[in-house]
Amino acid sequence: MSNAASEHTTTTPGSRTYKGSCACRAVRFEADIDPSAGTGQCNCTICAKTRWWGIIVKPSAVRLLAGEEVLGDHSRSEAGHARFCKTCGVRVFAHGHLPMLGGDYCSVNLNCLDDADLTGVPVLYVDGLHNTWAPIGSTTYVDPFRAAKGA
């Protein structure tokens, strides 16, 4: 499978298969996602401190390619399990069951996608810190490193 993100910007609608990994590459996965459909960041202490940038997909859209033996699980309830590499500590995806997300879900950390150009992808910011989950802002993502190269 090719990583279409290296060939196109993800602002083009449609699901594509992306490859991703943790920092040490012990955990590797692929996911069928459509970043143009919208992504999210929240300001709760866990998401803010781990720099989580997620997109919600159905569990069948995420496939673990390597690293099951080093995959850790941080959870506070069955509603959400944050999966991370026990070698490097990077959170690669999460999964759980929440009725407001349509039941079973998986959330992919977009920061873990390999070579994906996410310029122009919509980002919705929500207030998880105060447990309201209310939208507090939205924008489209601009990769500062790619922008600096073009300047």
Side-chain angles (χ1 to χ4, degrees):
M1 293 185 188
S2 69
N3 183 350
S6 61
E7 301 164 4
H8 303 89
T9 64
T10 55
T11 55
T12 305
S15 181
R16 294 189 190 91
T17 300
Y18 293 84
K19 293 191 184 276
S21 62
C22 62
C24 71
R25 298 195 45 80
V27 176
R28 293 188 309 281
F29 65 93
E30 64 182 16
D32 303 324
I33 60 176
D34 179 3
S36 70
T39 67
Q41 290 189 22
C42 108
N43 62 351
C44 76
T45 55
I46 293 171
C47 290
K49 289 180 183 278
T50 62
R51 305 297 291 160
W52 182 266
W53 179 17
I55 186 165
I56 304 294
V57 297
K58 293 293 182 188
S60 61
V62 179
R63 294 164 300 281
L64 186 62
L65 302 175
E68 185 171 359
E69 68 282 358
V70 296
L71 204 56
D73 184 348
H74 172 76
S75 62
R76 292 191 239 173
S77 72
E78 287 304 309
H81 295 266
R83 305 308 299 267
F84 64 95
C85 174
K86 291 190 273 185
T87 304
C88 68
V90 170
R91 287 177 61 198
V92 288
F93 59 87
H95 63 89
H97 183 90
L98 286 170
M100 73 269 302
L101 294 179
D104 290 341
Y105 74 93
C106 197
S107 180
V108 175
N109 185 353
L110 295 174
N111 288 316
C112 290
L113 296 182
D114 299 330
D115 302 320
D117 179 3
L118 300 173
T119 301
V121 168
V123 183
L124 175 66
Y125 298 93
V126 297
D127 187 8
L129 182 63
H130 301 101
N131 208 28
T132 68
W133 306 102
I136 55 177
S138 64
T139 189
T140 54
Y141 177 71
V142 176
D143 184 331
F145 300 104
R146 289 184 195 263
K149 282 183 181 179

